[in-house]
Amino acid sequence: MNRSLIFDIGCHIGEDSEFYLKKGFHVVAVEANPALCVILRKRFVKEIIEGRFVLVEKAIAERDGQVEFFVNKASIWGTIRSHMAERNAAAGAESTKISVPSTRFRSLIEQFGMPYYLKVDIEGADHLCLEGLQSFSDRPMYASIEVDQSSVFEMHQSVKLFKQTGYTRFQIVNQGLVPLVRSPNPASEGQYAPHEFPEGATGTFGKELPGEWITETQSRLEFVKIFARNKLDGLSKKAPGLKMLRSRVPGSWYDLHGALPAELENSQYHSPS
């Protein structure tokens, strides 16, 4: 594992990469939307020249080559999954289908080595990255994915996949609250960097997450609560008389963070040859 390396899978316009670079990390960023890649090349031109930011203009997919990619008018909703594009269309956000270069996640590891932290947000294909890790004996110390909230089963599948990949500690982060978070000083990850997280950013990671690490069982129970709360909020919006049931927690999407066993935290790692 390269402790100075972070993978930003689903880089968007660089909200997260900017933070990682400020903290002194090197970043390999993956973005499939060609229009967003133009923005990223301009935004990080200095870091690209310095070799601290590498942009991979491809989609993560099941195979290397080409893949259909649905570019959405809401740029954060770009996806290779047709069912996600259909969901977005039902919400009034239409997509345009294009063809883009694709890569398997394991190909990134083989080319760039194993990162310290793996951040993934690729709209329905996040699990491909965790599945790709299973080909290696090494792992990132920390990883995060966006959670599919369509059912409790899908939420639990995310926990299950993390566990199968070797992660034993978990945090569930309400992404709607991330703009309220501040980078801690002194820093626990990299160097201190004053930073305000924009809406849509993943936020802090690893030892700088504001919550407590919990077990697999606790994570599953928390997802049951979140799903129930979402259902009640939906009912309360349809029936004004049920307004008192509405949650005081802002409606949001959630990221699931996984960490390797605590005893490995200070171990020395090496990238796979």
Side-chain angles (χ1 to χ4, degrees):
M1 182 211 304
N2 183 345
R3 286 182 174 269
S4 66
L5 178 63
I6 290 177
F7 278 9
D8 185 353
I9 312 296
C11 187
H12 193 236
I13 59 171
E15 302 97 321
D16 296 317
S17 283
E18 179 186 9
F19 176 59
Y20 308 147
L21 290 164
K22 278 183 178 181
K23 290 181 71 62
F25 289 92
H26 287 69
V27 176
V28 171
V30 177
E31 178 53 55
N33 186 330
L36 298 183
C37 288
V38 172
I39 295 172
L40 291 168
R41 288 196 300 271
K42 291 179 179 178
R43 180 173 186 174
F44 298 117
V45 61
K46 177 176 178 289
E47 291 81 3
I48 290 172
I49 292 171
E50 293 172 345
R52 297 182 56 231
F53 181 85
V54 176
L55 178 61
V56 178
E57 300 184 33
K58 297 181 179 181
I60 299 296
E62 285 81 0
R63 62 190 61 86
D64 298 326
Q66 294 284 128
V67 69
E68 289 183 345
F69 183 75
F70 298 88
V71 178
N72 196 273
K73 64 180 184 180
S75 59
I76 59 172
W77 285 352
T79 180
I80 65 169
R81 302 302 191 208
S82 59
H83 73 275
M84 297 292 288
E86 292 167 3
R87 178 209 68 177
N88 296 338
E94 296 288 343
S95 298
T96 301
K97 185 168 63 175
I98 64 173
S99 178
V100 300
S102 64
T103 182
R104 295 172 300 161
F105 181 73
R106 65 167 296 152
S107 298
L108 289 180
I109 301 291
E110 292 166 349
Q111 182 175 359
F112 298 106
M114 190 65 66
Y116 174 67
Y117 169 50
L118 167 64
K119 168 252 164 168
V120 189
D121 185 355
I122 47 177
E123 299 301 306
D126 296 43
H127 288 190
L128 291 176
C129 297
L130 292 182
E131 290 165 357
L133 282 177
Q134 295 176 9
S135 301
F136 301 86
S137 59
D138 202 0
R139 299 285 188 274
M141 186 69 230
Y142 301 100
S144 67
I145 64 172
E146 185 178 5
V147 175
D148 182 348
Q149 298 185 66
S150 61
S151 69
V152 173
F153 173 80
E154 291 297 339
M155 292 173 161
H156 287 180
Q157 284 296 100
S158 295
V159 180
K160 180 180 178 180
L161 185 55
F162 262 111
K163 190 70 180 295
Q164 290 174 340
T165 313
Y167 294 92
T168 61
R169 300 175 293 155
F170 305 92
Q171 285 200 42
I172 300 167
V173 177
N174 183 337
Q175 293 305 111
L177 300 179
V178 165
L180 303 177
V181 175
R182 292 294 176 266
S183 184
N185 187 16
S188 300
E189 300 287 3
Q191 62 194 32
Y192 170 66
H195 189 78
E196 294 188 5
F197 296 104
E199 184 176 348
T202 299
T204 54
F205 64 93
K207 294 188 285 291
E208 292 191 345
L209 286 173
E212 296 292 327
W213 293 103
I214 59 177
T215 66
E216 175 190 9
T217 299
Q218 290 171 317
S219 300
R220 290 176 179 272
L221 290 173
E222 188 61 30
F223 277 137
V224 171
K225 294 176 186 177
I226 290 171
F227 188 77
R229 187 165 63 231
N230 289 347
K231 285 295 184 183
L232 286 174
D233 284 351
L235 287 172
S236 68
K237 290 174 184 177
K238 293 178 181 179
L242 299 177
K243 186 176 180 180
M244 74 289 296
L245 298 177
R246 191 170 301 174
S247 170
R248 295 182 179 181
V249 178
S252 183
W253 68 103
Y254 292 82
D255 278 359
L256 177 63
H257 290 249
L260 293 179
E263 59 268 22
L264 298 180
E265 204 143 11
N266 296 318
S267 299
Q268 295 299 314
Y269 289 83
H270 303 280
S271 299
S273 57

